[in-house]
Amino acid sequence: MYNLTNRRSGEAGADAEPLKFLSGGDFAVKTSTAENKAVMKARKAANKKIKPTLLQDIKRNPWLYVLCLPALVFFVLFAYIPMAGLYIAFVDYRPMKGIWASQFVGLENFKAFFATNNWITVTANTLFLNVLFIAFTTLTSVVIAIMLSEMKNKWVKKITQSVVILPHFMSWTVISMLSVAILASNGIVNQVIQKMGGQGIEFYNTPSVWPAVLVLLRIWQGAGFGSIVYLATITGFDSSIYEAAAVDGASRWQCITRLTLPMLKNTIIMLTIMNVGKIFNGDFGMIYAMVGTNSLLYPTTDVIDTYLFRQMFENPNMGQTAAVGLVQSILGFLFVVLCNKIANKWSPESALF
């Protein structure tokens, strides 16, 4: 048996701790490792004892729970109780019979959707467009928030903020009418292209350009409103941090990249996780208003919601619609849990739970 000397890291001048290697390649377990595990277990047990129960917390902070009561009542009445209607997804629903008297068909409503030839296309379009929406809208919202926070003139800042937020309050029907004037064959975009010597684009006959068009419209309509949360977060940062950085010679760009963005990380991750919950839900109001029944654009714009809407006219079946909606909700929930788990490992303070 041989002894090797090992000093614990960070303990200068500490006594040498022998590592005992036994014959046959085995080695003895260090006593310090066992001690560390025991200390960690003791700390966890102490934290569990310190953490109050729900009833104890209610007694300590009764008014905080009173403030939460209206929100809890709202979600119970309008989110949890209506979940009983999910039973429609498993029955051949007949309005005259009601939900509970309709014939139980099991998973037939789910099979009806996946038996069609279009479910892969509409699902892929839904995921692809939502990923683009989340990525580019989040990026633009952060950029707008940082730009507004860097503006020193109070009036310019207020006017700019009002201008970028205003499109959020416009309906997609109004936006679709404006887009016709911009994207039509003789619209503003084609007139500019032709004056520059190029060839006009038939937007309403060219499906390949519509993912980019929809992303630009989503950014224009929603990025300004989305910047409010990020701007409020930036406003809450301690100004002394930026003053200290300026004293050390940091430029405005360095303050943004080294201070603002790292401190915004938790907010960005949290809001992204919340948006992922709707990744299987297509924006019906936007896409139906912009595309309507133009079948030429379906290959790149048809999403689950618009597809089901058309199917309801051809074959009205509430059970199939409820079944697809249930699948969308379950997959969205699983994506949220997965993204939250990833965030919990990468940045625990930014995870939702």
Side-chain angles (χ1 to χ4, degrees):
M1 181 170 63
Y2 300 93
N3 290 342
L4 293 179
T5 301
N6 174 42
R7 291 185 180 275
R8 296 179 186 176
S9 60
E11 295 181 4
D15 294 336
E17 179 183 337
L19 281 174
K20 297 182 179 179
F21 288 81
L22 306 177
S23 59
D26 297 330
F27 58 90
V29 179
K30 291 192 298 183
T31 306
S32 59
T33 304
E35 290 176 352
N36 290 337
K37 289 182 178 180
V39 171
M40 293 299 295
K41 288 181 179 180
R43 287 179 179 174
K44 289 181 179 179
N47 290 335
K48 288 182 179 179
K49 291 180 180 179
I50 295 173
K51 187 177 180 180
T53 62
L54 179 60
L55 292 177
Q56 290 174 342
D57 197 44
I58 292 175
K59 289 180 180 179
R60 291 180 184 178
N61 307 291
W63 294 111
L64 293 179
Y65 284 91
V66 170
L67 290 174
C68 293
L69 191 60
L72 291 174
V73 172
F74 173 84
F75 281 106
V76 168
L77 291 177
F78 298 102
Y80 288 98
I81 292 178
M83 284 185 181
L86 293 175
Y87 183 67
I88 296 176
F90 303 94
V91 300
D92 183 14
Y93 178 67
R94 292 290 181 265
M96 298 301 295
K97 294 182 179 180
I99 298 176
W100 310 111
S102 296
Q103 182 184 0
F104 182 80
V105 294
L107 300 178
E108 292 301 320
N109 290 326
F110 296 87
K111 294 178 181 178
F113 173 71
F114 292 106
T116 61
N117 297 325
N118 297 322
W119 77 270
I120 296 178
T121 301
V122 297
T123 303
N125 287 342
T126 303
L127 288 172
F128 178 66
L129 290 175
N130 279 331
V131 168
L132 293 180
F133 292 160
I134 293 172
F136 286 99
T137 304
T138 301
L139 176 63
T140 310
S141 296
V142 171
V143 171
I144 292 173
I146 293 175
M147 290 174 59
L148 291 173
S149 67
E150 292 295 322
M151 290 183 180
K152 302 303 179 183
N153 189 300
K154 183 179 178 181
W155 291 105
V156 173
K157 182 176 180 179
K158 286 187 174 182
I159 293 172
T160 305
Q161 189 172 5
S162 300
V163 169
V164 297
I165 292 175
L166 181 62
H168 175 77
F169 301 99
M170 297 178 65
S171 71
W172 283 112
T173 305
V174 175
I175 295 174
S176 67
M177 290 189 290
L178 293 175
S179 67
V180 171
I182 297 172
L183 302 176
S185 301
N186 57 347
I188 298 174
V189 174
N190 279 322
Q191 289 180 13
V192 172
I193 293 174
Q194 290 169 359
K195 286 183 179 179
M196 294 176 64
Q199 186 176 1
I201 302 172
E202 294 291 336
F203 285 97
Y204 289 94
N205 296 331
T206 311
S208 60
V209 303
W210 274 88
V213 171
L214 293 175
V215 169
L216 290 174
L217 288 173
R218 172 57 71 88
I219 292 173
W220 175 76
Q221 194 260 358
F225 188 80
S227 67
I228 295 175
V229 177
Y230 298 111
L231 182 60
T233 305
I234 295 173
T235 305
F237 293 160
D238 189 355
S239 59
S240 62
I241 299 176
Y242 294 92
E243 293 171 1
V247 170
D248 289 339
S251 63
R252 297 283 286 274
W253 177 251
Q254 289 174 326
C255 288
I256 292 172
T257 56
R258 303 294 178 87
L259 295 176
T260 304
L261 287 177
M263 289 191 290
L264 268 180
K265 180 185 70 173
N266 294 340
T267 304
I268 295 172
I269 294 175
M270 189 178 301
L271 293 179
T272 302
I273 293 173
M274 295 175 67
N275 288 329
V276 165
K278 300 178 181 179
I279 198 168
F280 280 94
N281 295 83
D283 191 337
F284 174 80
M286 172 190 184
I287 294 176
Y288 191 76
M290 298 299 303
V291 177
T293 57
N294 186 351
S295 59
L296 295 175
L297 304 181
Y298 288 168
T300 58
T301 61
D302 199 17
V303 294
I304 295 174
D305 300 72
T306 54
Y307 174 74
L308 291 177
F309 180 75
R310 293 197 311 274
Q311 292 301 308
M312 285 293 293
F313 284 102
E314 298 175 6
N315 180 26
N317 191 324
M318 293 288 291
Q320 292 181 12
T321 306
V324 177
L326 179 59
V327 171
Q328 288 176 298
S329 300
I330 292 174
L331 292 177
F333 174 75
L334 293 177
F335 265 63
V336 168
V337 173
L338 177 62
C339 292
N340 186 78
K341 190 173 183 179
I342 296 172
N344 207 2
K345 290 184 177 180
W346 183 39
S347 178
E349 59 275 5
S350 62
L352 293 177
F353 49 87

